[in-house]
Amino acid sequence: MLGSKNTFFDDRLTLNVEGYFYNYRDQQQVLVDGLSIRTDNADSEMQGIDVEFDAEPIPGLRFDGTVSVMDTEFTEYLAVDPIDVLVAVNCRAEAQALVPFQTPFPGCSPTDWSGNELTRAPKLQYSIGVEYDVYLGRFGTLTPRVQYYWQSESFYRAFNTETDRQSHYHQTDVKLTWRSPSESIYLEFFVDNLEDVEVFQNVLVGARSQGSPHIAWYDRPR
């Protein structure tokens, strides 16, 4: 990991940059497998760069934002997707016949998921916000703010199937804050997810007795 933190123009601009590379061995992958939880081991790599800035070009007017570029990959991952009912059942039966701590995959043909992306790891995401302080004298301060966020597609499970996919999306939040002159009292009015975009919060696989369905729930609406 290598980073740099910088301030310019009498602290009116802050710019931080960080680059990283991680090489994981035996990284634990915790999976919800029907009514049980399963832990697999995998090798993976992650690399990317993060940039964040905060600027106040004139008193009261502030801009801030972040940009994250990331590339992730499983370099070695052999596992059975719980959605594959037949393979998973056969593997469980064979695993129960083994002595403890022996490999659970003798002859039940786990799939090689090497090359897949890690979970919750979009290749690109960025945000930008702007706010402005309106000074009202003895009536305090009024600060409107607008923030925009964009994210490329990502996956909620390591198997990267189409039903694991979260498509790219964007979201706008707006906020209006009033502060008393002493800043001991403040009121905040806001609308999050102005576009009312439907974004997954998580995706998992249900019980095999029900056909191993994908189960998903959404993040907050507008």
Side-chain angles (χ1 to χ4, degrees):
M1 181 186 298
L2 183 65
S4 175
K5 295 186 176 182
N6 308 276
T7 57
F8 305 95
F9 310 114
D10 297 325
D11 295 336
R12 287 187 290 132
L13 172 63
T14 299
L15 179 65
N16 300 328
V17 182
E18 178 184 85
Y20 57 87
F21 173 78
Y22 298 110
N23 188 0
Y24 295 101
R25 291 291 178 265
D26 295 326
Q27 183 185 35
Q28 290 188 331
Q29 303 296 314
V30 180
L31 306 175
V32 177
D33 186 352
L35 301 178
S36 62
I37 294 179
R38 191 180 88 208
T39 302
D40 296 333
N41 287 339
D43 296 343
S44 65
E45 291 182 353
M46 176 187 301
Q47 56 190 335
I49 185 170
D50 294 329
V51 179
E52 61 179 13
F53 75 90
D54 193 312
E56 188 172 7
I58 61 174
L61 177 63
R62 292 181 294 276
F63 295 89
D64 59 82
T66 61
V67 178
S68 178
V69 180
M70 179 168 48
D71 182 65
T72 65
E73 180 183 13
F74 285 107
T75 55
E76 184 176 342
Y77 185 26
L78 297 176
V80 174
D81 186 348
I83 200 70
D84 193 332
V85 179
L86 181 59
V87 174
V89 169
N90 289 341
C91 284
R92 171 167 290 190
E94 294 183 15
Q96 290 173 346
L98 296 176
V99 296
F101 310 115
Q102 191 171 342
T103 172
F105 294 133
C108 63
S109 301
T111 302
D112 186 357
W113 303 101
S114 301
N116 279 10
E117 297 178 20
L118 272 64
T119 60
R120 302 175 183 269
K123 291 183 179 297
L124 174 63
Q125 52 186 325
Y126 64 84
S127 67
I128 185 168
V130 58
E131 61 184 41
Y132 183 67
D133 292 331
V134 180
Y135 298 103
L136 305 176
R138 63 189 180 93
F139 296 105
T141 305
L142 199 62
T143 305
R145 176 178 174 83
V146 179
Q147 181 167 306
Y148 177 84
Y149 174 81
W150 187 92
Q151 175 184 302
S152 63
E153 72 172 15
S154 60
F155 296 93
Y156 285 95
R157 299 194 315 138
F159 308 107
N160 290 190
T161 66
E162 186 61 32
T163 44
D164 301 330
R165 183 191 308 273
Q166 169 61 62
S167 300
H168 69 274
Y169 70 94
H170 62 90
Q171 180 175 314
T172 305
D173 302 332
V174 295
K175 181 168 64 175
L176 182 65
T177 304
W178 172 84
R179 292 181 175 84
S180 64
S182 64
E183 297 193 355
S184 59
I185 300 173
Y186 74 91
L187 298 175
E188 204 170 74
F189 305 89
F190 63 89
V191 179
D192 289 341
N193 191 3
L194 191 64
E195 299 91 337
D196 200 23
V197 62
E198 295 181 340
V199 179
F200 289 132
Q201 189 179 65
N202 201 4
V203 176
L204 52 84
V205 170
R208 294 193 185 93
S209 61
Q210 303 298 319
S212 297
H214 275 77
I215 300 173
W217 56 94
Y218 290 96
D219 207 348
R220 296 175 299 174
R222 182 187 303 121

